[in-house]
Amino acid sequence: MTEIKKQIDILASSKERWMNLSIKKRTKFIKTLRHLIVDKQNEIANAITLDTGKPVTESMMQEVSASLGMLKYFESNFPGWLKERQFKYFRPGFIFKKNIIKYDPLGIVAVISPANYPFSLPVMQTAFALLCGNCVVLKPSEKAVHVNKVIISLFENSGLTPESVLVIEGDEKPAEEIIRHEEVRKIIFTGSYENGRKVTRLAAEHFKPVILELGGDGPAIVLNDANLSLAAKSIIWSHCYSNYNSCIGTKIVFVQKAVISEMKNLLEVEFSKINFGASDNTNTDAYIKYKKELNSLNVIEFTSEDEAIRKVNELPTGLSASVWSNNIRRARMLANKINCGMIWINDLSVGIPGIAWGGSKLSGWGRLFARSAIPELTNTKTISIEKRFTSRPKFWQYPYVSDKYEITKVVNSIVFGKGSIKQITKVMGKYFKVLFKNHHK
């Protein structure tokens, strides 16, 4: 038995305690974690910068603040999201049933995190899984040695480790062992398309579902009525931040023919304003560790809106996109036709709490961070209750006497078609007659 298997076995032996905690108590742990992050925010931002080369201000805004905002949002909304829901179905035989939908934890969820966002993604994904009632095995990036130490300390000091969170460091070998472990019910993977395929293939061998976030091209569509100055400034930032390595960063810009020359000039101007330069000082103002040529941003001309949509939808990825226009109705119509998970109009690359985070095509599948993502990390269970005074043999049970066929046919016409009052009166008499016979047999 390997050390990793032993560690996961120990986590599995205590998982029931976390799974049976009320959402109110789980939320208190996340609140404690959030307060610890606030207390350690300088240390966290500096660790992120040491591991990624990002400017410390970007580390603070894009990872520390983003995590704090998401955790606070979870604390406020999870109690309502996980609340049991009831519904009725108004049809003979179902009217008096009490139907309940509830969300049960899966057990243990694995989170395999990337190097480009070594703090925010593992913390937010782990918190989401924990609040759903799951224990978590976290495999952070082996490239984020400073951030990993901080994360381990935060989980320990918040009381989440060792009973509900297990952090296992290393390369792909530990990740493979985590995926294979029989107690791990689902995997959240963020990374490259090729590594996503490897994870999916291994998970499939063990009949385990996977949530995949594999990045995208972040295409921007700039229409001829857009605020070009704003679009250029935002697109250059989106292209360059996170050292050109954001999963939702803009890599392709489709510009309408009438404004492409002006737009290219504005992009050049905005790119020239960036302060490039490497530094070991985490307090540096250098925006980007190294400089690329601006031709790393692919600018493509289009004539009609249909052409722009076609070109965007032909891209192999579908994580995010942006549309730029002063006519919001026009921009919204285009956004509705784009095949991807997240679209910004006159803005981009902004992680807003409540967004169902995820994509389509080669960007992966599954969603996180929103109410609609709750079924991803829970077992959605339905309980249908027949009350005592209405609990009796149902019309659709044996015996299948001849009257039942005709009654069912007329009921279908009345309930789902265009039934008449005369039909209703006739069929209800037969219905109660058959029901009475069945009940007294």
Side-chain angles (χ1 to χ4, degrees), residues 391-404:
S391 183
R392 61 192 64 196
K394 291 295 184 290
F395 176 77
W396 52 79
Q397 295 176 359
Y398 296 131
Y400 293 156
V401 295
S402 58
D403 282 345
K404 286 190 177 182

Side-chain angles (χ1 to χ4, degrees), residues 329-393:
R329 185 171 179 272
R330 182 187 184 194
R332 177 64 191 273
M333 288 176 67
L334 264 67
N336 288 342
K337 297 176 182 178
I338 295 174
N339 181 7
C340 73
M342 300 170 286
I343 301 170
W344 292 273
I345 294 176
N346 296 330
D347 196 5
L348 38 66
S349 303
V350 181
I352 305 170
I355 283 180
W357 195 273
S360 61
K361 299 185 283 187
L362 299 189
S363 290
W365 55 71
R367 295 293 185 271
L368 286 171
F369 308 146
R371 181 173 194 162
S372 58
I374 294 295
E376 296 276 5
L377 292 178
T378 59
N379 172 41
T380 304
K381 180 192 292 182
T382 303
I383 301 173
S384 185
I385 303 168
E386 187 73 70
K387 295 179 181 178
R388 184 173 59 84
F389 73 90
T390 60
S391 183
R392 61 192 64 196

Side-chain angles (χ1 to χ4, degrees), residues 97-128:
K97 285 183 177 291
K98 181 180 180 181
N99 303 295
I100 300 166
I101 295 176
K102 65 190 301 286
Y103 303 97
D104 290 345
L106 297 176
I108 296 179
V109 171
V111 174
I112 303 174
S113 299
N116 60 337
Y117 287 92
F119 182 79
S120 58
L121 284 178
V123 167
M124 295 188 302
Q125 291 172 349
T126 298
F128 194 89

Side-chain angles (χ1 to χ4, degrees), residues 4 112 139 170-180 202:
I4 289 176
I112 303 174
K139 210 297 284 183
D171 55 16
E172 64 182 48
K173 293 298 180 183
E176 291 171 0
E177 194 167 348
I178 291 167
I179 293 169
R180 289 192 183 98
L202 181 58

Side-chain angles (χ1 to χ4, degrees), residues 223-227 305 323-335 345-346:
L223 297 171
N224 55 11
D225 64 345
N227 181 334
E305 294 174 13
V323 180
W324 298 84
S325 171
N326 283 328
N327 185 331
I328 300 302
R329 185 171 179 272
R330 182 187 184 194
R332 177 64 191 273
M333 288 176 67
L334 264 67
I345 294 176
N346 296 330

